[in-house]
Amino acid sequence: MSSPDFYQFLGIPRRLALDPKELETRLYSLSRKLHPDLFARKSAAEQSKALDDSALLNDAFRTLRDPVKRAEYVLKAEGFDIGEQSTKDVPPELLEEVFELNMALEELRMGDDDAREQLEISRTTFVNMRDEIDVETQSKFAEWDASGERSVLAEIRALLNRRKYIANLIDKANVPDRV
Amino acid sequence: MAYSDKVLDHYNNPRNVGSLDKKSSNVGTGMVGAPECGDVMKLQIQVNDESGIIEDAKFKTFGCGSAIASSSLATEWLKGKTVDEALRIKNTDIVNELALPPVKIHCSVLAEDAIKAAISDYRNKQGVAQAA
C-alpha cells in the first residue's frame, strides 16, 4: 500500500513555496481532529485508523516543513531519481576550494594549528555558497509553482545535489577547536 | 579487495608530491576531481622553454590509494617527455601498469584528465592554440 499524498492529506495546494504558518495551522487543526480522546468510545478499527493518521500527519508535516525534504518529496513523486548524485552538478571552480580545504585538514592533522585560519576561510566560503543555493532554490520553487514546468524541477534537482555536496564540505570544515 | 604491489608502492612512497609555481609561464596546472567520491587531484608540469620537454612534474592528490598511485605514476611518466608525447598517455596504460581493478578505473581516468588539463593550461599560457 502506498502512503497517501502528503499535500492531499493536509488539504493544501501542491506548491513548493509553502508558507510555514499555513502548514502549522493545518497541523494543529488536523491534530485536534485526530486526538485520541475523541476516539475513546469508538471501535478498535476507528481507533487504529486515527493512530495511523496521526503518524501520517507527523510524517507529512516533518517532510513538507523542511524545504529540502519537501522538494525531494515532490521530485520523487514526479518521477525524478533523487538518490543518484551527478558529477556535472558540481561546478569546476569548486575543485580549487575543495583542494584548499583538504590541504588545511591535512596540515591540521600534522599538527599545524595555523591551518585553522584557512579552514575558517573555507568554511565561510562554503556557507556562503550554500546560502546562495538556497536563495536560488526559493526562486525556482516560485517558478515551478507558477509554471509547473518539468524543466524547472530538473533545475531544482541539480541545485539540491550541489547543496548536498556543499553541506558535506561544511561538515568536513567544522573541526572541533581542540582534538 | 587488495591493492596490487605497484599501487601500494606508489601509495606508500608517492613520487613527486608537491607543487610548482602556479604563476610561472612554463608551468601548467591541472586540477580535476570526482566530487561524488571526494577525490581531488592537482597535477603540474614544468616545461623547458627551449627543448619543450617536461623537466619536472608534481602532484598532490586527496583520494583513495588508487587515485594517489595513478597520479604518482603519471608524474613519473611525464618527466622527460615532450608535451605531445605526454598527451598520448592513456588511462588504460595506467590501468595496466598498476593492475587496477574495474571499480578503480575512474582513478586512472582522473589522472589522464589531470595530465590533459595541465597541458592545456600550459598551452594557454604559452598562447599556443589549444588542440581540439
Side-chain angles (χ1 to χ4, degrees):
Chain A
M1 188 192 84
S2 66
S3 76
D5 183 83
F6 288 163
Y7 284 93
Q8 265 176 20
F9 181 77
L10 290 173
I12 52 174
R14 199 175 184 75
R15 285 200 315 258
L16 278 175
L18 274 188
D19 176 7
K21 285 213 186 80
E22 186 187 353
L23 203 57
E24 246 175 57
T25 313
R26 294 301 301 160
L27 172 75
Y28 294 141
S29 86
L30 284 167
S31 299
R32 274 195 297 275
K33 283 185 198 161
L34 292 170
H35 197 280
D37 286 356
L38 298 174
F39 293 85
R41 290 155 188 277
K42 300 279 171 71
S43 69
E46 277 171 301
Q47 284 184 16
S48 136
K49 169 87 165 61
L51 212 61
D52 287 349
D53 281 353
S54 289
L56 182 62
L57 179 62
N58 271 323
D59 270 358
F61 179 69
R62 259 184 247 153
T63 304
L64 297 189
R65 177 182 52 181
D66 179 75
V68 172
K69 286 186 190 149
R70 186 196 313 146
E72 284 178 347
Y73 178 76
V74 170
L75 284 169
K76 221 168 140 185
E78 299 287 334
F80 281 84
D81 177 7
I82 53 161
E84 162 215 340
Q85 267 222 42
S86 164
T87 314
K88 63 181 191 305
D89 298 329
V90 179
E93 311 88 76
L94 200 56
L95 280 176
E96 198 87 36
E97 304 289 347
V98 176
F99 190 85
E100 289 301 328
L101 169 66
N102 279 309
M103 267 317 244
L105 286 171
E106 187 174 278
E107 282 161 14
L108 200 63
R109 270 200 301 277
M110 308 281 228
D112 180 1
D113 246 27
D114 293 346
R116 290 189 182 279
E117 200 182 324
Q118 173 58 43
L119 217 51
E120 190 46 39
I121 296 172
S122 294
R123 209 187 66 85
T124 312
T125 309
F126 296 136
V127 168
N128 289 339
M129 285 180 180
R130 186 193 56 194
D131 292 350
E132 276 170 30
I133 289 176
D134 285 348
V135 171
E136 206 183 328
T137 306
Q138 284 299 328
S139 87
K140 290 288 161 197
F141 279 3
E143 202 181 319
W144 184 74
D145 290 343
S147 72
E149 286 286 348
R150 207 175 156 74
S151 62
V152 179
L153 285 181
E155 289 175 74
I156 291 171
R157 182 186 178 244
L159 282 169
L160 290 185
N161 272 345
R162 253 162 68 192
R163 190 187 196 281
K164 218 175 262 177
Y165 182 61
I166 287 165
N168 283 338
L169 294 174
I170 295 172
D171 281 349
K172 258 178 113 173
N174 273 330
V175 174
D177 278 348
R178 282 276 175 266
V179 272
Chain B
M1 181 197 63
Y3 284 125
S4 72
D5 288 346
K6 278 178 179 160
V7 170
L8 285 175
D9 180 34
H10 276 280
Y11 179 69
N12 290 320
N13 309 293
R15 290 24 154 211
N16 311 310
V17 173
S19 64
L20 300 165
D21 180 12
K22 205 178 154 177
K23 295 191 184 80
S24 169
S25 68
N26 64 335
V27 168
T29 303
M31 178 88 83
V32 294
E36 69 274 35
C37 56
D39 288 1
V40 208
M41 192 180 278
K42 184 169 91 170
L43 190 146
Q44 293 180 300
I45 52 166
Q46 183 179 310
V47 184
N48 185 294
D49 281 334
E50 269 153 39
S51 60
I53 284 174
I54 298 170
E55 52 188 10
D56 203 1
K58 298 273 186 210
F59 85 96
K60 178 74 196 167
T61 294
F62 297 99
C64 67
S66 301
I68 290 169
S70 295
S71 37
S72 171
L73 176 68
T75 54
E76 271 200 323
W77 279 353
L78 285 168
K79 283 203 234 178
K81 284 194 165 64
T82 65
V83 170
D84 286 328
E85 282 166 353
L87 276 175
R88 288 202 286 273
I89 298 175
K90 288 275 166 279
N91 83 291
T92 44
D93 303 333
I94 297 171
V95 171
N96 291 335
E97 174 69 17
L98 296 176
L100 293 180
V103 290
K104 291 294 178 184
I105 286 176
H106 69 274
C107 297
S108 67
V109 174
L110 215 54
E112 186 188 322
D113 288 349
I115 294 174
K116 297 220 155 72
I119 292 174
S120 142
D121 180 52
Y122 166 74
R123 285 189 164 161
N124 279 341
K125 279 184 177 172
Q126 297 285 315
V128 178
Q130 216 179 307

